[in-house]
Amino acid sequence: MKKIKRLSILLIFGCMVIRPNLTSAADRLSAGAAKVNITPPNPRYPVHDSLYARALILEAGDSRIGFVSLDLGGYTNIPLAGKLKNRFHLKEVYFCPQHTHSAQAGPIDFMEERITSAMQTASESMFEARISGGYRYFPQLGFNRLILRDDGRARESWLGDEHYRAVNPERIPHGPVDNAVGVIKLEDTDGTPRVLIMNYACHPDVAWNNFEISADYVGYAAKYTEESFDNTVTCLFVQGGGGNQAPLFKDGGRTGPDDPRPSNYDLIDRMGKLLSIETVKLAGELYPNPHDAADIKVYADSLFFTGRYDKKLHYNVHFSVISINSRYVIATVPGEPFIKFQIDWKREFQPYGLVPFLFGYTWNGGKWPIYLPDVRSAAYGGYGADNGPDLIEVGAGEKIMLKQLENYYRMMGVFKE
């Protein structure tokens, strides 16, 4: 009888010891990341600093999604998206170009090989992850480039008048802006940070007319952040609602490629470093919630729009809402959404203990809608608001974000059916 009791105690103790290592795929969040150089092999301008693609794969249970952050002005590729989804068993893959004005995409085959290589490495380096996320507010680095003038109309910051100097050299902090950086941190089970997503809303055009290849401030911010962790962390920069946001650190630009005046990389370096400092500080303050259950939900959708002035223009805009661990809520929106949508999205969820992010300039299918102004901005005007290339119909942004909100609550099973 004593032997049976001892054996039972040993069996119970043994189960207690090994149980933490028996987490199933459905019980854990897994992540993998990679970074590859995408500087074009034959660039049209001299290369000042390299361009990169950074890939991230997230998986929980049977839900698996991918992100590719790109040091590019824009990037869409329907055939490649389909290949990546099939090859890596992804529900969705999101291309996140940062809208860097000094970038250049390489040839199609080169870009597809580089992005596929990054995704392959990410898929081969998956680890059990713990996720955390939040915001850090700090003195703003950008301003709203559509400034309301005395005649009641808004005009671009690069147009001066008797009150405002062109390009805002005094660095007047016109609003509205969102002066916060958002961070999603993925660490391994030992608590070692492995991946950071930096989410900030501001045009990467510190060097306006650069005539050199550069990732601008976003490349510097990602580089400094990775260096702060001895390059053991992959830092993906994902643009927010930066459609009407310009950097306070602004180089007026060169007149052409033969202009002997160099671009002011001190400004690019300074803005990138300041953003990195705040990102690293915030990353050090984030800790995963031990009570979170690993889970990824995705609700992908689309809406059809016409042009604002040209009704023959057709836009089939794809977007998604993503929930991770029922705590982190990501809205992905293609094109260049204005800052109001980011501010409103955060206000919708923050009072309820959720951590929301707006991933602007993020594509997973359909047609790129270019600018997505809010209705007020579309009324008062300015570039991207009431003039610019192929403007979408008024109210498209509000309709997309309202659908995102509805889809989130349907995805989470809140609506009574």
Side-chain angles (χ1 to χ4, degrees):
M1 189 68 178
K2 289 182 180 179
K3 289 183 179 179
I4 294 174
K5 285 183 178 180
R6 288 173 183 168
L7 180 61
S8 299
I9 292 170
L10 287 172
L11 286 172
I12 292 170
F13 180 74
C15 291
M16 290 172 64
V17 170
I18 65 174
R19 186 171 180 178
N21 295 322
L22 291 177
T23 55
S24 68
D27 298 326
R28 67 171 179 257
L29 177 70
S30 298
K35 170 183 172 182
V36 298
N37 194 309
I38 58 169
T39 308
N42 296 299
R44 63 175 174 267
Y45 297 127
V47 176
H48 180 273
D49 52 276
S50 295
L51 309 177
Y52 291 93
R54 294 169 171 89
L56 170 65
I57 294 176
L58 293 175
E59 179 180 28
D62 62 352
S63 188
R64 185 175 168 98
I65 58 177
F67 296 91
V68 184
S69 173
L70 297 149
D71 292 339
L72 294 176
Y75 190 78
T76 64
N77 190 323
I78 291 175
L80 177 61
K83 292 176 184 177
L84 294 177
K85 288 169 72 172
N86 290 332
R87 178 168 176 173
F88 301 106
H89 312 292
L90 305 170
K91 283 191 173 181
E92 294 291 339
V93 60
Y94 300 94
F95 296 149
C96 308
Q98 301 158 356
H99 200 56
T100 303
H101 282 212
S102 299
Q104 178 193 342
I108 293 175
D109 291 346
F110 169 81
M111 290 300 304
E112 292 186 353
E113 185 278 326
R114 294 278 74 205
I115 291 172
T116 303
S117 173
M119 291 293 286
Q120 182 66 44
T121 303
S123 70
E124 294 170 352
S125 58
M126 301 289 286
F127 61 94
E128 186 173 347
R130 303 287 184 265
I131 188 172
S132 55
Y135 292 96
R136 183 179 182 88
Y137 290 84
F138 59 99
Q140 67 194 71
L141 301 177
F143 70 100
N144 196 305
R145 71 186 193 180
L146 299 183
I147 301 167
L148 193 61
R149 308 303 173 98
D150 288 346
D151 63 357
R153 302 296 299 168
R155 277 186 288 279
E156 304 83 2
S157 60
W158 53 87
L159 297 177
D161 60 25
E162 62 269 24
H163 293 294
Y164 305 104
R165 292 183 179 177
V167 198
N168 194 19
E170 293 92 353
R171 298 182 185 173
I172 300 172
H174 305 286
V177 300
D178 185 355
N179 60 327
V181 62
V183 171
I184 296 174
K185 181 171 75 170
L186 294 158
E187 58 188 56
D188 59 26
T189 54
D190 293 328
T192 302
R194 301 281 294 275
V195 183
L196 294 177
I197 299 177
M198 180 194 306
N199 184 212
Y200 189 70
C202 188
H203 260 71
D205 60 351
V206 174
W208 194 337
N209 292 322
N210 196 10
F211 303 102
E212 290 182 344
I213 300 297
S214 172
D216 209 272
Y217 81 85
V218 298
Y220 280 69
K223 176 178 75 76
Y224 282 129
T225 300
E226 290 172 343
E227 289 175 353
S228 296
F229 294 91
D230 295 325
N231 291 311
T232 59
V233 161
T234 303
C235 179
L236 291 81
F237 182 102
V238 179
Q239 187 65 249
N244 57 348
Q245 305 293 290
L248 283 168
F249 297 80
K250 196 72 171 176
D251 180 11
R254 301 161 69 197
T255 59
D258 297 326
D259 187 341
R261 185 184 69 83
S263 292
N264 193 342
Y265 284 98
D266 288 342
L267 293 177
I268 296 174
D269 180 269
R270 181 63 175 162
M271 183 168 173
K273 187 171 291 184
L274 288 173
L275 183 57
S276 173
I277 288 170
E278 302 299 334
T279 299
V280 173
K281 285 180 182 177
L282 176 56
E285 298 168 356
L286 296 174
Y287 294 93
N289 190 309
H291 303 292
D292 280 357
D295 181 56
I296 297 175
K297 293 184 175 68
V298 182
Y299 198 127
D301 205 350
S302 65
L303 288 173
F304 178 84
F305 302 99
T306 62
R308 174 171 178 172
Y309 304 120
D310 184 356
K311 300 305 178 184
K312 295 180 181 178
L313 291 176
H314 294 162
Y315 292 96
N316 184 24
V317 182
H318 289 221
F319 48 88
S320 294
V321 62
I322 303 166
S323 171
I324 303 176
N325 290 8
S326 299
R327 183 179 302 277
Y328 306 98
V329 187
I330 301 170
T332 74
V333 184
E336 303 188 45
F338 277 27
I339 196 64
K340 183 180 187 299
F341 300 123
Q342 177 171 316
I343 294 171
D344 289 351
W345 184 254
K346 291 167 69 173
R347 285 176 177 168
E348 179 65 36
F349 292 100
Q350 283 177 320
Y352 306 107
L354 301 174
V355 187
F357 299 90
L358 178 70
F359 284 8
Y361 299 75
T362 298
W363 179 91
N364 68 314
K367 185 174 180 179
W368 188 265
I370 312 182
Y371 285 98
L372 283 172
D374 57 276
V375 169
R376 183 185 185 279
S377 296
Y380 280 102
Y383 189 75
D386 73 345
N387 71 85
D390 296 341
L391 292 181
I392 201 168
E393 66 182 71
V394 173
E398 279 82 359
K399 291 176 183 177
I400 290 170
M401 297 310 296
L402 183 61
K403 194 64 177 176
Q404 295 271 51
L405 189 61
E406 177 189 340
N407 289 346
Y408 170 77
Y409 289 115
R410 290 197 183 282
M411 178 177 71
M412 303 305 290
V414 178
F415 277 110
K416 182 179 180 180
E417 299 296 341

